[in-house]
Amino acid sequence: MIKQQKKQYKAVIAGKTYIISGEASLPHFKSTEELLNKQFKQIAVIAPKLSKFDQAILLTFNSISDQLYKQAEIDELNEKIAQMQAEIKMLQSQKERLKPKKSAVSSIIATARQESRTRSSNKIFKETNK
C-alpha cells in the first residue's frame, strides 16, 4: 500500500487559526472544518454561557458519541454481510449436491451407442472390402 504524503491545512475553528497536518485531501479538510464550525455554532446557541473550552468538550463528546453509534452500525452491517456470505456458501454447496451427476445408466447408454457406431462402421467397411 502506498502511503500518502502528509499535507498541511490552515483551518479557522471557532475564530482561531490552526495548522492541521494529515494525509486527507483538501476537500476532506475543508468539509471537516465547515462541519466543526457549524456544530460549534449550534452548541453556542444552545449553551451560550459556556466557555469556548466547555463548548469544545461538548462538541468532542458529541463527536465521539456519534462515532460509537456509527461503529455499532458498521459492526452490525459486517455481521449481516458475514451471515449472507455463509448463506451463499451453503446454497452453493446445496446446488453442487443437487447437480445431476453422470449416472451409471447414462454411462452404459453412451458406451452402447459408441459400440453400436463402431460395429456399424466395421460392418460397412467389411462390405466395401468384399
Side-chain angles (χ1 to χ4, degrees):
M1 181 184 230
I2 299 172
K3 190 170 182 177
Q4 290 183 338
Q5 190 176 23
K6 282 196 173 191
K7 300 171 189 121
Q8 289 192 336
Y9 179 74
K10 190 179 199 179
V12 179
I13 301 168
K16 188 172 178 183
T17 303
Y18 297 89
I19 303 296
I20 309 295
S21 181
E23 296 173 359
S25 66
L26 181 63
H28 180 85
F29 281 131
K30 185 72 178 156
S31 296
T32 303
E33 176 187 14
E34 289 173 4
L35 182 59
L36 188 57
N37 280 315
K38 179 182 174 186
Q39 290 178 357
F40 233 119
K41 286 177 186 173
Q42 289 173 343
I43 289 174
V45 168
I46 294 169
K49 293 183 181 180
L50 291 179
S51 69
K52 290 273 187 202
F53 178 80
D54 288 337
Q55 290 174 352
I57 294 295
L58 283 177
L59 179 59
T60 303
F61 185 89
N62 289 341
S63 295
I64 291 173
S65 176
D66 289 346
Q67 181 182 351
L68 290 173
Y69 282 124
K70 294 297 180 191
Q71 187 60 53
E73 187 177 341
I74 289 168
D75 292 345
E76 185 177 317
L77 290 171
N78 282 332
E79 192 174 307
K80 284 182 182 179
I81 288 170
Q83 288 173 351
M84 289 178 164
Q85 287 173 335
E87 286 178 31
I88 289 170
K89 280 185 179 181
M90 183 184 70
L91 290 172
Q92 285 173 336
S93 72
Q94 285 177 352
K95 184 179 175 183
E96 287 296 318
R97 277 187 257 131
L98 295 176
K99 270 188 182 177
K101 294 183 178 156
K102 197 169 185 178
S103 69
V105 173
S106 62
S107 181
I108 291 168
I109 292 171
T111 303
R113 282 187 186 142
Q114 183 62 35
E115 288 174 358
S116 175
R117 286 188 200 117
T118 303
R119 278 192 301 263
S120 296
S121 302
N122 289 342
K123 189 176 182 183
I124 293 170
F125 182 71
K126 285 179 184 177
E127 287 178 6
T128 55
N129 286 335
K130 286 184 179 181

